[in-house]
Amino acid sequence: MDSTPQAPRASALLPLLLFLLIFLGSGIYYTLQGTDFAFYQIKAPVAILPAIIMAMLLTKRSYRESLITFIDGIGDRNIITMALVFLLAGAFSSVAKAIGGVDATVNLGLSVLPANMVLPGLFVIAVFISTAMGTSMGTIGALIPIALGFAEATGLSIPLAAGAVIGGAMAGDNLSIISDTTIAATRTQGVGMRDKFRLNLMIALPAMLLTLVVLFILGGSTTAAPAAEYNVWLVLPYVAVLILALSGLDVMIVLMTGILLSGITGMLVKPDYALATYGNDIYQGFAGMLEIMVLSMLIGGLSAIMKQEGGLDWLRLRIQSLTSRSTTPGRRSGETGIAGLVGLTNLFVANNTVAIIISGSVAKDLADHYAVDPRRSASLLDIFSCVVQGLIPYGAQILLAGSLAALSPLALISQVHYCWLLGLMAVLAIVFGFPRIKPATTEPTT
């Protein structure tokens, strides 16, 4: 089979545009019609099928070659890992809720946190967990049920509470030294992780502080929930997940431990919670993740075809062409090109790690050409992929949070305040050239 990529061409990107037209278009249409759960009238895994058919029809290869490319894309390591995280997050959420762990944790939190500090508290906890685990997915899976409980108890907006968790999860993922995005960004740009972290933090920290202020203001009118009794043992699974996450343990081990501890705690504390019930709750958690798991796999396959057919190469070349036409070539042009490249690539592949890997070599060329410090190019790659990934309605993070909270993806996008503010800070950093950094010293890219 010939696996040589096709020449760059824009038409290879049309399938994803068709999917977005069907998915977003139908959701907007049903919203205007006043239909409940407007974005669930046409399920996303169904909306993407015409796009896959279009990709097969537009390909210049044989049907068998395109099918193999599609299946390889579905079986990509990042896609399968994501699918497993979906399943484990769903199972942990389902079991913890069934045994009363969510209610107990919420009541414990309400007895400690003032009502107006619930939103900032959720954001900070999400940042710590995601930074420790190096992934946003496990953080969202563990904290969204807690956020829902807080929202229901205090009268907070559910999308706002979910947005605080998503924003914190994306912040930690972006900053964590063990995150896939950090590893991809530093290795493609040839810089040390510590250097990238320091620069990244100087841009992200103002966005985090502003986010805390915004969440404090938005949560200021929250009503204090009445005190309620809780069984502290039911909080144990969440405490264990938090501690294990902060220790830097792999997300799958963390979530699996949470599932086991939830089941054991439930059977010890609740006499009517039997092994069969535990098994059924795990399965119900799996079933709840079916839609986003299938969609993620299909998007992975579609992205592989678009890449093979030259769609992403065309996108890279267009960005390079635009930056070369700049009337004031220099650092600002190069950094704008890097930001636009990884952002647009992320729109089409819906995976920030993959977007960085695809964009990395071209970003390095742009950095070399426009004398952009490689630490800045690595930081911008990670930041702009984080911003886009945290806001696209078909991205894994929004889909997972929406599935757990039974919310439309578009209801969440406007509430992820951190990603909007991080994007603003990054744009200002490009325009004004801050933060100023000293020349890099040689450091191994560990």
Side-chain angles (χ1 to χ4, degrees):
M1 185 186 73
D2 182 15
S3 60
T4 305
Q6 292 285 351
R9 57 195 184 105
S11 60
L13 300 175
L14 289 176
L16 187 59
L17 295 179
L18 175 62
F19 163 61
L20 295 179
L21 178 64
I22 296 172
F23 178 52
L24 298 180
S26 64
I28 294 171
Y29 170 79
Y30 285 112
T31 298
L32 295 175
Q33 296 297 311
T35 306
D36 293 333
F37 302 105
F39 280 84
Y40 290 91
Q41 298 303 307
I42 298 180
K43 301 288 189 182
V46 175
I48 201 173
L49 293 180
I52 294 170
I53 294 172
M54 174 184 276
M56 293 290 189
L57 293 175
L58 290 177
T59 183
K60 295 183 178 294
R61 302 174 189 276
S62 68
Y63 165 75
R64 180 171 178 78
E65 288 176 328
S66 298
L67 181 61
I68 291 174
T69 299
F70 178 72
I71 293 172
D72 286 344
I74 290 176
D76 179 82
R77 182 180 65 180
N78 289 316
I79 299 297
I80 296 302
T81 300
M82 190 186 305
L84 291 174
V85 171
F86 282 148
L87 290 176
L88 294 176
F92 175 60
S93 174
S94 176
V95 175
K97 183 177 181 179
I99 67 171
V102 174
D103 292 337
T105 306
V106 168
N107 289 328
L108 172 61
L110 291 175
S111 68
V112 176
L113 283 175
N116 60 355
M117 290 301 295
V118 167
L119 285 176
L122 286 171
F123 177 76
V124 170
I125 292 170
V127 170
F128 276 112
I129 293 178
S130 187
T131 302
M133 287 200 296
T135 174
S136 56
M137 297 300 294
T139 304
I140 291 171
L143 288 185
I144 285 294
I146 301 297
L148 295 180
F150 276 124
E152 292 169 358
T154 61
L156 275 173
S157 160
I158 292 178
L160 184 58
V165 172
I166 297 169
M170 295 308 298
D173 191 9
N174 175 226
L175 290 171
S176 176
I177 291 179
I178 62 173
S179 167
D180 287 348
T181 58
T182 294
I183 294 170
T186 53
R187 289 194 176 277
T188 58
Q189 303 309 296
V191 299
M193 290 187 183
R194 284 182 296 173
D195 282 342
K196 179 264 182 189
F197 172 80
R198 290 166 185 156
L199 183 59
N200 210 151
L201 183 62
M202 285 188 269
I203 298 174
L205 187 58
M208 295 170 69
L209 295 175
L210 285 173
T211 300
L212 288 174
V213 173
V214 169
L215 293 177
F216 178 79
I217 294 171
L218 293 176
S221 59
T222 303
T223 58
E229 294 183 358
Y230 57 89
N231 187 331
V232 71
W233 290 106
L234 294 175
V235 182
L236 177 63
Y238 281 108
V239 174
V241 165
L242 175 60
I243 293 173
L244 291 176
L246 293 175
S247 72
L249 207 58
D250 181 80
V251 59
M252 292 193 195
I253 298 175
V254 170
L255 290 173
M256 183 62 76
T257 303
I259 294 169
L260 292 172
L261 280 177
S262 295
I264 293 170
T265 303
M267 285 183 276
L268 290 175
V269 174
K270 301 180 67 177
D272 58 338
Y273 195 77
L275 185 61
T277 309
Y278 173 47
N280 186 61
D281 287 335
I282 292 176
Y283 181 77
Q284 290 300 317
F286 288 168
M289 294 294 107
L290 178 63
E291 180 180 343
I292 58 170
M293 188 176 72
V294 171
L295 176 61
S296 297
M297 296 172 75
L298 294 179
I299 285 178
L302 181 61
S303 296
I305 294 180
M306 291 192 300
K307 179 181 180 182
Q308 187 71 42
E309 292 302 306
L312 299 180
D313 285 336
W314 178 86
L315 190 63
R316 289 201 300 266
L317 290 175
R318 292 304 301 163
I319 294 292
Q320 284 180 297
S321 174
L322 290 173
T323 55
S324 67
R325 295 176 186 174
S326 173
T327 55
T328 56
R331 175 201 57 79
R332 194 177 298 169
S333 297
E335 292 182 359
T336 301
I338 292 168
L341 172 64
V342 73
L344 287 173
T345 303
N346 208 137
L347 279 176
F348 284 96
V349 300
N351 184 298
N352 45 348
T353 303
V354 174
I356 292 171
I357 292 171
I358 292 173
S359 309
S361 60
V362 178
K364 185 165 179 55
D365 290 341
L366 288 171
D368 292 341
H369 182 73
Y370 291 103
V372 176
D373 190 294
R375 293 169 292 178
R376 285 185 69 89
S377 63
S379 181
L380 292 173
L381 277 174
D382 206 342
I383 286 174
F384 279 96
S385 67
C386 165
V387 169
V388 173
Q389 185 67 24
L391 295 175
I392 51 177
Y394 51 94
Q397 288 77 6
I398 292 286
L399 288 173
L400 177 58
S403 179
L404 290 171
L407 292 171
S408 158
L410 289 192
L412 291 172
I413 291 173
S414 62
Q415 305 301 323
V416 188
H417 298 288
Y418 172 75
C419 286
W420 291 107
L421 290 170
L422 178 63
L424 174 62
M425 288 298 108
V427 169
L428 293 176
I430 292 174
V431 173
F432 296 105
F434 77 82
R436 306 290 180 184
I437 52 177
K438 297 178 181 180
T441 55
T442 303
E443 179 184 340
T445 57
T446 54

